[in-house]
Amino acid sequence: MSRTGVLALRLAGPLQSWGASSRFTRRTTESAPTKSGVIGLLASAAGIERGDDTNLAPLAALRFGVRIDQPGTRIRDFHTAHHGVTGASMPLSERFYLADAVFVAAVEGDQALLTGLYDALRAPVYLPYLGRRSCPPSEPVDLALYEDTALENVLANVPWQASSWYRRRHRTPQSLTILRERVANEPAEPADVLRDQPVSFNAAHRRHALRTVVATAVPTPAPADGGGSPQVPHDPFAALDALENESA
């Protein structure tokens, strides 16, 4: 029998955008990361191509949940574009984002699969982004890998990941909201439905199924040390410095 684990991610950046029902010229965002967006991030890090539905399927089967540690502010922007061949102007579109938000996302499933994904996040084939390519994370997203535990336990006990400036300006909330998938034998209770269960990321025919989402609240854990993240400070220019030292 395979072991079950949980992979936790810290999703933080200047901007995030997690669309679930965007169409035409209005591109909205949910108030928290979608399963489609997070599974896409993991698939990208692992080098799974958009049309590879076979290798996507085990990732899509992982149980997903997210904790809202810092809700951020919803903002609107406008996007202009030109046709790549004719140069003609495309219709002006509205783009919605979450600014200065922080989330803890987690996936539960086979320990071996999660270990591979954890390693991929540390050396990604394609760089991760927070819903859209224009939304890079402010630091590495890999938070921790847990063995022999459940998604609910991880989301309830991971230290509060809110930014240090946010914690200075705001009173610590009594509880944090968790949005998670219902387990098969769980009693029925009020729930929402989102069409963000990934089936295929093929650009020609992207497909998503419906997914049931249960909202719960947990007491706010103690904050993480060092300003909201247990990881060492991230310097995006460190890789360039290393290359310069090698060429010197």
Side-chain angles (χ1 to χ4, degrees):
M1 183 178 179
S2 61
R3 299 171 62 188
T4 298
V6 175
L7 174 60
L9 313 175
R10 183 178 190 268
L11 305 178
L15 294 175
Q16 306 186 37
S17 188
W18 306 97
S21 60
S22 300
R23 298 187 64 187
F24 306 114
T25 60
R26 184 177 174 85
R27 305 289 179 172
T28 61
T29 179
E30 298 293 323
S31 59
T34 60
K35 182 176 184 179
S36 175
V38 174
I39 294 300
L41 183 155
L42 294 173
S44 178
I48 299 174
E49 302 296 333
R50 282 190 173 275
D52 189 353
D53 297 345
T54 299
N55 285 318
L56 172 65
L59 275 65
L62 295 170
R63 185 163 168 254
F64 174 72
V66 61
R67 193 180 75 193
I68 303 175
D69 283 28
Q70 184 174 320
T73 303
R74 191 180 300 267
I75 63 173
R76 181 177 65 171
D77 193 15
F78 295 95
H79 181 81
T80 60
H82 292 79
H83 194 281
V85 177
T86 65
S89 296
M90 305 296 287
L92 182 70
S93 62
E94 288 182 288
R95 305 291 174 106
F96 290 84
Y97 300 87
L98 297 175
D100 295 324
V102 180
F103 305 98
V104 174
V107 288
E108 175 189 296
D110 179 71
Q111 184 71 41
L113 173 61
L114 296 182
T115 300
L117 293 174
Y118 186 60
D119 292 340
L121 289 173
R122 297 191 160 199
V125 176
Y126 301 109
L127 294 178
Y129 50 87
L130 306 179
R132 293 195 186 128
R133 290 189 180 91
S134 60
C135 302
S138 57
E139 62 181 65
V141 300
D142 54 286
L143 184 58
L145 179 62
Y146 301 88
E147 298 182 3
D148 300 324
T149 188
L151 181 140
E152 289 86 351
N153 294 335
V154 170
L155 290 177
N157 293 294
V158 167
W160 188 30
Q161 298 294 314
S163 303
S164 57
W165 67 263
Y166 182 87
R167 290 191 281 117
R168 288 194 302 267
R169 297 182 187 179
H170 298 79
R171 182 177 300 175
T172 301
Q174 293 185 350
S175 63
L176 300 177
T177 298
I178 290 177
L179 306 173
R180 60 169 179 80
E181 293 185 43
R182 177 189 293 166
V183 295
N185 59 350
E186 186 175 358
E189 58 183 87
D192 291 328
V193 176
L194 283 179
R195 188 174 291 278
D196 72 337
Q197 172 64 40
V199 177
S200 175
F201 288 142
N202 192 313
H205 52 83
R206 296 180 185 179
R207 289 177 292 153
H208 297 82
L210 295 175
R211 182 175 67 91
T212 301
V213 179
V214 176
T216 60
V218 295
T220 301
D225 295 334
S229 174
Q231 304 184 22
V232 297
H234 173 55
D235 180 4
F237 296 103
L240 296 178
D241 293 339
L243 291 175
E244 290 180 356
N245 293 333
E246 291 178 1
S247 62

